[in-house]
Amino acid sequence: MNRRHCAAAAITLVCALAVLTVPTQAFAAPPPSHSPAAPAGPQRKSLEEVREEIDALYRKAGAATDAYNLAEERAEKQSGEIVKLAQAIVEGQAKIADLKSRAGAQAREQYRTGGLPPGAQMMLSDDPRMFMDGVNRVWQGQQAAKGVLGELTRTQEDLETYTKDASSNWNKLEANRLKQAKAKKRINGQIAAAKKLESQLEKEERARLLELEQEAEYKAQTAWLGSGALKEINREASARGKKAVAFATAQIGKPYVWGAEGPGSYDCSGLTSQAWAAAGRPIPRTSQEQWRQLPHIAVKDMRPGDLIIYHGDASHVGMYIGDGAIVHAPRPGRNVTLAGAGSMEILGVVRPDR
């Protein structure tokens, strides 16, 4: 068995051991009761149902986090464009003031010479050379005046465009700020709901909940490996891919915080975008934009450094590091960690440095 298959088997074994070593609590059946039956109340959810509900809440929070991050990214872009437009408006106003001053100087000169520029006065001379020189100077003066007026008109038009663009970008900025606020509210609500569900569990139930979470991941990873998906995946990382993997794995143990881009904490796409930035290849900030903008790669062709996008809404992302494993920031309450590449529903794979 080659090294790659040995490593894949080792990962599967580690996952299995993690599931088997989580402490469990045995619950005895209650003794039969001879008292009159109590009125039937609402049936308590099973731990598996609670796990699925918590998982769904965190997934929704992840999607809302993407919306928040995208709105934040666009707001930053709009802010930068507004600053540039403001500078252009100031420069345009200064240019208009200068052009108006030059046009005024020409008008004052005509007034001092009785309405005739010096060149026109020379055209009235009987001296042929002065006459020709006058014709030339009149032509140059007319061209200069046309140039000043034409430039003044163009600058005023540019200034109007800059002002409209600044107003448009300001409206977009405000709209994105509203989107940020709404996304933040959704995220906080969903995380709070998930934490409330967990807080209502007993200590033994929370331990069992973690066990169920690991069992679900192990089952999905085992099925993925059993499909033969790993057999054709044997490509080496690119030079930049190696740097991205080195950065991402160095963050293992740091907590997940939504909207975070390091250095002390990360969300899922904050980790992958910063890893590739460290490798010299800036990529989109959110998992949904990474899926939309980066080149798609077949799963069988992926190599370390590629990004695996998860779930139908592209709400999660992890970095493939080889041997059937990823490094990712899972969710609130968890740290950056290694996991099986097939432990979640794979939407597809993208390659930042294709």
Side-chain angles (χ1 to χ4, degrees):
M1 184 178 293
N2 61 31
R3 182 192 63 79
R4 178 166 54 79
H5 288 145
C6 287
I11 289 172
T12 304
L13 180 59
V14 169
C15 292
L17 289 173
V19 171
L20 294 173
T21 54
V22 173
T24 59
Q25 178 71 26
F27 295 96
S33 173
H34 299 288
S35 58
Q43 189 174 0
R44 192 182 182 201
K45 292 180 181 178
S46 69
L47 272 178
E48 178 58 26
E49 289 173 327
V50 172
R51 184 196 70 79
E52 289 176 356
E53 188 173 347
I54 289 172
D55 185 57
L57 284 166
Y58 279 128
R59 277 188 55 194
K60 288 177 182 177
T65 297
D66 246 26
Y68 175 89
N69 290 335
L70 184 59
E72 184 177 46
E73 188 176 40
R74 286 176 176 171
E76 287 177 3
K77 183 180 178 182
Q78 250 97 48
S79 294
E81 289 176 354
I82 287 171
V83 169
K84 289 178 183 177
L85 287 166
Q87 292 171 341
I89 288 169
V90 170
E91 291 170 1
Q93 289 171 335
K95 188 174 182 180
I96 285 174
D98 176 62
L99 290 168
K100 284 182 176 179
S101 176
R102 285 162 58 186
Q106 290 178 350
R108 287 191 295 273
E109 179 62 26
Q110 287 186 1
Y111 178 78
R112 281 196 298 271
T113 56
L116 292 174
Q121 293 176 357
M122 291 172 68
M123 286 175 63
L124 301 176
S125 171
D126 293 331
D127 186 330
R129 285 185 303 176
M130 289 186 68
F131 175 81
M132 292 305 297
D133 189 39
V135 170
N136 187 49
R137 290 181 64 179
V138 166
W139 182 84
Q140 289 177 342
Q142 289 174 338
Q143 292 302 112
K146 286 181 181 178
V148 169
L149 292 174
E151 193 172 358
L152 180 59
T153 300
R154 286 193 300 273
T155 304
Q156 287 173 327
E157 289 173 351
D158 288 344
L159 197 57
E160 288 177 8
T161 301
Y162 295 151
T163 303
K164 287 179 182 177
D165 287 348
S167 177
S168 174
N169 276 286
W170 180 261
N171 291 334
K172 289 178 184 176
L173 179 63
E174 288 304 301
N176 277 316
R177 282 177 176 163
L178 286 174
K179 286 181 182 177
Q180 279 180 275
K182 289 179 180 178
K184 186 174 183 179
K185 187 176 180 180
R186 285 197 300 273
I187 294 163
N188 286 332
Q190 285 152 352
I191 291 176
K195 287 182 175 179
K196 183 178 179 181
L197 278 174
E198 288 187 89
S199 70
Q200 292 170 344
L201 300 174
E202 299 294 334
K203 182 179 178 181
E204 293 81 4
E205 290 177 317
R206 286 197 294 273
R208 177 58 182 154
L209 189 70
L210 178 59
E211 182 183 354
L212 289 172
E213 184 180 306
Q214 291 172 336
E215 284 177 353
E217 291 177 358
Y218 172 68
K219 183 178 179 181
Q221 174 72 355
T222 302
W224 184 69
L225 292 174
S227 70
L230 196 61
K231 290 179 181 178
E232 297 183 58
I233 303 173
N234 58 4
R235 288 163 179 76
E236 293 293 324
S238 64
R240 281 185 171 176
K242 289 177 182 177
K243 290 180 181 178
V245 169
F247 179 95
T249 52
Q251 313 312 309
I252 290 174
K254 293 182 179 180
Y256 177 106
V257 174
W258 69 263
E261 299 178 78
S265 57
Y266 296 88
D267 63 19
C268 67
S269 57
L271 176 66
T272 54
S273 61
Q274 288 303 303
W276 272 101
R281 173 70 172 93
I283 63 173
R285 168 64 178 85
T286 71
S287 59
Q288 291 174 346
E289 288 301 294
Q290 288 168 6
W291 174 244
R292 190 175 71 84
Q293 295 186 36
L294 297 177
H296 291 201
I297 298 295
V299 172
K300 66 182 180 63
D301 294 327
M302 70 180 175
R303 65 191 186 193
D306 289 346
L307 306 181
I308 303 181
I309 309 298
Y310 292 97
H311 309 307
D313 57 0
S315 58
H316 190 70
V317 59
M319 179 179 290
Y320 185 65
I321 61 171
D323 295 322
I326 60 166
V327 58
H328 72 142
R331 65 167 176 82
R334 300 286 186 264
N335 297 331
V336 176
T337 188
L338 297 178
S343 60
M344 295 168 282
E345 176 196 358
I346 295 176
L347 177 62
V349 181
V350 295
R351 177 166 295 165
D353 61 341
R354 183 175 179 179

